[in-house]
Short mmCIF file of all heavy atoms in Angstrom, two decimals:
data_model
loop_
_atom_site.label_atom_id
_atom_site.label_comp_id
_atom_site.label_asym_id
_atom_site.label_seq_id
_atom_site.Cartn_x
_atom_site.Cartn_y
_atom_site.Cartn_z
N ASP A 12 2.14 -2.55 13.87
CA ASP A 12 3.50 -2.03 14.03
C ASP A 12 4.60 -3.08 14.01
O ASP A 12 5.69 -2.90 14.36
CB ASP A 12 3.79 -1.05 15.27
CG ASP A 12 3.53 -1.89 16.48
OD1 ASP A 12 3.25 -3.04 16.47
OD2 ASP A 12 3.60 -1.17 17.66
N LYS A 21 8.83 -10.79 15.82
CA LYS A 21 7.96 -9.64 15.41
C LYS A 21 8.95 -8.61 15.08
O LYS A 21 9.51 -7.84 15.84
CB LYS A 21 7.02 -9.10 16.50
CG LYS A 21 5.86 -10.13 16.80
CD LYS A 21 4.93 -9.66 17.70
CE LYS A 21 3.65 -10.60 17.87
NZ LYS A 21 2.63 -10.04 18.80
N THR A 24 7.76 -2.68 12.12
CA THR A 24 7.47 -1.96 10.96
C THR A 24 6.27 -1.18 10.99
O THR A 24 5.95 -0.51 12.13
CB THR A 24 7.36 -3.12 9.78
OG1 THR A 24 7.12 -2.43 8.53
CG2 THR A 24 6.15 -4.14 10.00
N GLU A 36 0.78 14.43 -0.74
CA GLU A 36 1.19 15.75 -1.32
C GLU A 36 0.73 15.95 -2.65
O GLU A 36 0.10 17.05 -3.00
CB GLU A 36 2.58 16.04 -1.23
CG GLU A 36 3.19 16.05 0.27
CD GLU A 36 4.52 16.44 0.34
OE1 GLU A 36 5.49 16.00 -0.54
OE2 GLU A 36 5.00 16.72 1.37
N ALA A 40 -2.39 18.70 -3.38
CA ALA A 40 -1.97 19.79 -4.22
C ALA A 40 -2.86 20.05 -5.38
O ALA A 40 -3.14 21.07 -5.84
CB ALA A 40 -0.56 19.71 -4.80
N ASN A 67 16.14 8.42 2.84
CA ASN A 67 15.73 9.66 2.16
C ASN A 67 16.74 10.59 1.54
O ASN A 67 16.63 11.68 1.52
CB ASN A 67 15.00 10.48 3.40
CG ASN A 67 13.58 9.83 3.87
OD1 ASN A 67 12.59 9.84 3.20
ND2 ASN A 67 13.60 9.04 4.85
N GLY A 69 19.58 11.31 2.66
CA GLY A 69 20.47 12.21 3.55
C GLY A 69 19.54 12.70 4.70
O GLY A 69 18.22 12.56 4.65
N PRO A 106 -1.12 2.51 0.76
CA PRO A 106 0.37 2.59 0.89
C PRO A 106 0.83 1.23 1.47
O PRO A 106 0.17 0.48 1.90
CB PRO A 106 0.65 3.70 1.81
CG PRO A 106 -0.66 3.90 2.51
CD PRO A 106 -1.76 3.44 1.63
N GLY A 110 3.75 -3.66 7.17
CA GLY A 110 2.61 -3.84 7.84
C GLY A 110 1.42 -4.63 7.25
O GLY A 110 0.75 -5.38 7.74
N ASP A 114 -1.49 -7.60 8.51
CA ASP A 114 -3.06 -7.50 8.81
C ASP A 114 -3.95 -7.35 7.48
O ASP A 114 -4.88 -8.19 7.45
CB ASP A 114 -3.24 -6.30 9.79
CG ASP A 114 -2.85 -4.93 9.18
OD1 ASP A 114 -2.11 -4.86 8.22
OD2 ASP A 114 -3.13 -3.82 9.83
N LEU A 115 -3.52 -6.58 6.58
CA LEU A 115 -4.39 -6.33 5.41
C LEU A 115 -4.44 -7.57 4.47
O LEU A 115 -5.53 -7.72 3.89
CB LEU A 115 -4.09 -5.14 4.64
CG LEU A 115 -4.21 -3.78 5.36
CD1 LEU A 115 -3.74 -2.65 4.64
CD2 LEU A 115 -5.55 -3.59 6.06
N GLY A 122 -10.51 -6.68 2.10
CA GLY A 122 -10.72 -7.48 0.90
C GLY A 122 -12.06 -7.13 0.17
O GLY A 122 -12.15 -7.02 -1.00
N PRO A 134 -10.92 4.76 -9.64
CA PRO A 134 -9.55 4.63 -9.54
C PRO A 134 -9.10 4.11 -8.27
O PRO A 134 -9.44 4.39 -7.16
CB PRO A 134 -9.04 6.14 -9.63
CG PRO A 134 -10.15 6.79 -10.26
CD PRO A 134 -11.35 6.17 -9.76
N VAL A 137 -2.47 1.00 -5.35
CA VAL A 137 -1.72 0.10 -4.41
C VAL A 137 -0.43 0.15 -4.68
O VAL A 137 0.09 -0.06 -5.82
CB VAL A 137 -2.40 -1.24 -4.44
CG1 VAL A 137 -1.99 -2.01 -3.20
CG2 VAL A 137 -3.94 -1.23 -4.53
N LEU A 145 -4.46 -7.32 -1.67
CA LEU A 145 -5.25 -8.01 -2.70
C LEU A 145 -5.54 -9.42 -2.40
O LEU A 145 -6.38 -10.06 -2.92
CB LEU A 145 -4.43 -7.84 -3.95
CG LEU A 145 -3.99 -6.53 -4.45
CD1 LEU A 145 -3.44 -6.60 -5.85
CD2 LEU A 145 -4.99 -5.40 -4.38
N ALA A 148 -8.87 -10.15 -1.03
CA ALA A 148 -10.05 -9.87 -1.90
C ALA A 148 -10.46 -11.13 -2.80
O ALA A 148 -9.73 -11.36 -3.85
CB ALA A 148 -9.76 -8.71 -2.85
N ALA A 154 -12.41 -17.46 -5.97
CA ALA A 154 -11.35 -16.85 -6.72
C ALA A 154 -10.85 -15.39 -6.28
O ALA A 154 -11.85 -14.78 -5.91
CB ALA A 154 -11.87 -16.79 -8.24
N ALA A 158 -7.45 -11.72 -9.98
CA ALA A 158 -6.93 -12.70 -10.84
C ALA A 158 -6.97 -12.25 -12.30
O ALA A 158 -8.02 -11.71 -12.81
CB ALA A 158 -7.64 -14.02 -10.70
N GLY A 161 -2.81 -7.35 -14.19
CA GLY A 161 -1.39 -7.04 -14.19
C GLY A 161 -1.07 -6.06 -13.04
O GLY A 161 -1.78 -5.08 -12.95
N ALA A 173 16.77 -6.46 0.57
CA ALA A 173 16.45 -5.72 1.77
C ALA A 173 16.86 -6.63 3.09
O ALA A 173 16.83 -6.04 4.09
CB ALA A 173 14.94 -5.48 1.90
N ASP A 177 14.85 -14.42 3.49
CA ASP A 177 15.20 -15.70 4.00
C ASP A 177 14.44 -15.96 5.35
O ASP A 177 14.31 -17.09 5.82
CB ASP A 177 16.65 -15.86 4.25
CG ASP A 177 17.37 -16.06 2.86
OD1 ASP A 177 16.59 -16.26 1.92
OD2 ASP A 177 18.67 -15.74 2.87
N ARG A 178 13.97 -14.79 6.02
CA ARG A 178 13.36 -14.95 7.23
C ARG A 178 11.81 -14.77 7.16
O ARG A 178 11.04 -14.88 8.17
CB ARG A 178 13.82 -13.83 8.13
CG ARG A 178 15.32 -13.88 8.36
CD ARG A 178 15.85 -12.61 9.22
NE ARG A 178 15.16 -12.65 10.56
CZ ARG A 178 15.22 -11.61 11.37
NH1 ARG A 178 15.77 -10.38 10.94
NH2 ARG A 178 14.68 -11.60 12.62
N LEU A 187 0.97 -13.50 -4.76
CA LEU A 187 0.17 -12.83 -5.86
C LEU A 187 0.09 -13.68 -6.92
O LEU A 187 -0.99 -13.93 -7.57
CB LEU A 187 0.70 -11.54 -6.12
CG LEU A 187 0.51 -10.44 -5.09
CD1 LEU A 187 1.32 -9.12 -5.55
CD2 LEU A 187 -0.86 -10.17 -4.92
N GLY A 197 9.77 -5.22 -12.46
CA GLY A 197 10.78 -4.13 -12.95
C GLY A 197 12.11 -4.27 -12.23
O GLY A 197 12.25 -5.13 -11.35
N ASP A 207 -3.75 -1.16 -15.13
CA ASP A 207 -4.61 -2.14 -15.71
C ASP A 207 -6.00 -1.85 -15.42
O ASP A 207 -6.49 -2.12 -14.32
CB ASP A 207 -4.17 -3.69 -15.32
CG ASP A 207 -5.00 -4.80 -16.11
OD1 ASP A 207 -6.01 -4.49 -16.74
OD2 ASP A 207 -4.52 -5.98 -16.00
N ARG A 208 -6.83 -1.33 -16.46
CA ARG A 208 -8.16 -0.87 -16.29
C ARG A 208 -8.12 0.24 -15.10
O ARG A 208 -7.32 1.18 -15.40
CB ARG A 208 -9.06 -2.16 -15.99
CG ARG A 208 -9.40 -2.88 -17.15
CD ARG A 208 -9.80 -4.34 -16.80
NE ARG A 208 -8.60 -5.28 -16.51
CZ ARG A 208 -8.66 -6.52 -16.31
NH1 ARG A 208 -9.84 -7.15 -16.51
NH2 ARG A 208 -7.65 -7.27 -16.28
N THR A 212 -0.91 0.25 -9.97
CA THR A 212 -0.03 -0.35 -8.81
C THR A 212 1.37 0.13 -9.04
O THR A 212 1.81 0.32 -10.18
CB THR A 212 -0.09 -1.91 -8.94
OG1 THR A 212 0.09 -2.36 -10.21
CG2 THR A 212 -1.39 -2.32 -8.36
N GLU A 225 -0.44 8.93 -12.09
CA GLU A 225 -1.47 8.16 -12.96
C GLU A 225 -2.82 8.16 -12.30
O GLU A 225 -3.84 8.20 -13.04
CB GLU A 225 -0.91 6.74 -12.98
CG GLU A 225 0.36 6.53 -13.86
CD GLU A 225 0.16 6.97 -15.33
OE1 GLU A 225 -0.98 6.77 -15.76
OE2 GLU A 225 1.06 7.28 -15.91
#
Side-chain angles (χ1 to χ4, degrees):
D12 59 4
K21 290 187 175 181
T24 185
E36 291 183 337
N67 292 283
D114 62 350
L115 298 181
V137 194
L145 308 188
D177 291 343
R178 301 173 62 197
L187 288 170
D207 190 341
R208 288 156 277 187
T212 50
E225 289 294 335

